[in-house]
Amino acid sequence: MESHFLKLDSDPRLLEEVGDLSHNFAIVLAAGKSTRMGTCKTSLPWGEGKTLLTYQLEQWLSVDFTPVVVLGSHNSNKQIDCPDGSFAVINPHANVGKTTSLLTGLQHIPPNFEILAISAVDQPRELEIYQRLILAHQDTSAMITAPSYEGKMGHPLLFSNGMRSHLQNIREESLGLRQIIKEFYPVIHHVKFDHPAVLLDINTPEIYQEQLHNIG
């Protein structure tokens, strides 16, 4: 099978090329070992002919975001599943914590981005959710935009360029991204949804089977 991904850290010139293609990016975290699921989540079927990984990347591509998926050493072979226009990077230190994967992805995001979304491979969302969040983020010029359902904040999160320096300074020992949310919570623009899909995390086989039934 022909590979359609570009491993960004293989050539620094690729970063400049990506920057010329898009101003909006999505970091898709997929370097976890899926311990509770019992199998690699990136390979789980999701929809007709898709996996969770390909579904997520195609959704971001549909809203003109360039997705950068962060894989771990254990599932680096999944790079070959990345569709055209998406990019794969490997975090060899994924076992240290999710923060290392976020920082790995951030290293490959051009400095001139307009919107940066952060999501995870186990958080599949319908296109309408992304579209609403992006429009709200652009209309309000928010620093951070997040979906919410009945007062609970969900994912994905959208960040403006002004948040880049803060994101670059996150550390696992200081709660990582949660520290950013805590510090900037008063200025987060919450987009309210009337269904709990924005809270979905597929962490266990039971949740996965339930969601498969729902989309079926």
Side-chain angles (χ1 to χ4, degrees):
M1 179 183 296
E2 181 183 358
S3 173
H4 296 297
F5 73 92
L6 286 175
K7 190 169 181 289
L8 293 183
D9 53 0
S10 62
D11 188 337
R13 291 172 298 176
L14 291 176
L15 190 61
E16 297 178 7
E17 294 175 10
V18 175
D20 292 336
L21 294 175
S22 173
H23 290 293
N24 297 328
F25 293 80
I27 295 176
V28 180
L29 303 173
K33 291 192 174 181
S34 309
T35 305
R36 283 185 287 173
M37 182 61 68
T39 187
C40 184
K41 294 177 185 177
T42 59
S43 301
L44 291 174
W46 192 261
E48 187 174 351
K50 302 183 189 301
T51 64
L52 270 178
L53 178 60
T54 56
Y55 175 84
Q56 286 279 62
L57 299 182
E58 288 178 3
Q59 292 294 83
W60 284 116
L61 287 166
S62 294
V63 290
D64 296 324
F65 273 56
T66 298
V68 176
V69 57
V70 184
L71 299 166
S73 300
H74 65 285
N75 63 357
S76 61
N77 61 313
K78 300 304 177 184
Q79 297 173 93
I80 200 169
D81 295 333
C82 297
D84 287 326
S86 62
F87 302 89
V89 296
I90 308 302
N91 175 18
H93 308 294
N95 61 314
V96 177
K98 188 179 294 186
T99 298
T100 63
S101 291
L102 180 52
L103 291 172
T104 297
L106 193 60
Q107 290 173 3
H108 301 288
I109 302 299
N112 63 336
F113 75 83
E114 292 182 4
I115 304 175
L116 173 63
I118 296 176
S119 65
V121 72
D122 59 0
Q123 298 168 343
R125 304 289 187 258
E126 293 184 357
L127 200 60
E128 183 265 343
I129 292 175
Y130 293 149
Q131 291 169 332
R132 279 191 59 190
L133 287 173
I134 294 166
L135 286 175
H137 187 79
Q138 292 171 330
D139 288 345
T140 60
S141 300
M143 295 292 286
I144 305 173
T145 298
S148 67
Y149 172 73
E150 294 186 347
K152 296 181 179 179
M153 195 172 73
H155 295 278
L157 302 178
L158 272 55
F159 296 85
S160 70
N161 189 278
M163 291 299 301
R164 184 183 184 112
S165 61
H166 299 282
L167 291 169
Q168 288 174 327
N169 289 326
I170 63 172
R171 297 293 180 268
E172 192 71 29
E173 59 270 19
S174 58
L175 302 180
L177 192 59
R178 284 179 291 176
Q179 181 60 37
I180 295 282
I181 300 306
K182 180 179 178 181
E183 182 178 351
F184 288 89
Y185 194 85
V187 298
I188 295 176
H189 177 60
H190 295 266
V191 181
K192 295 180 180 179
F193 286 81
D194 59 3
H195 51 82
V198 297
L199 306 180
L200 175 63
D201 288 297
I202 300 178
N203 291 320
T204 66
E206 292 76 20
I207 295 175
Y208 172 62
Q209 292 298 330
E210 178 185 354
Q211 295 304 314
L212 273 188
H213 176 75
N214 290 342
I215 67 173

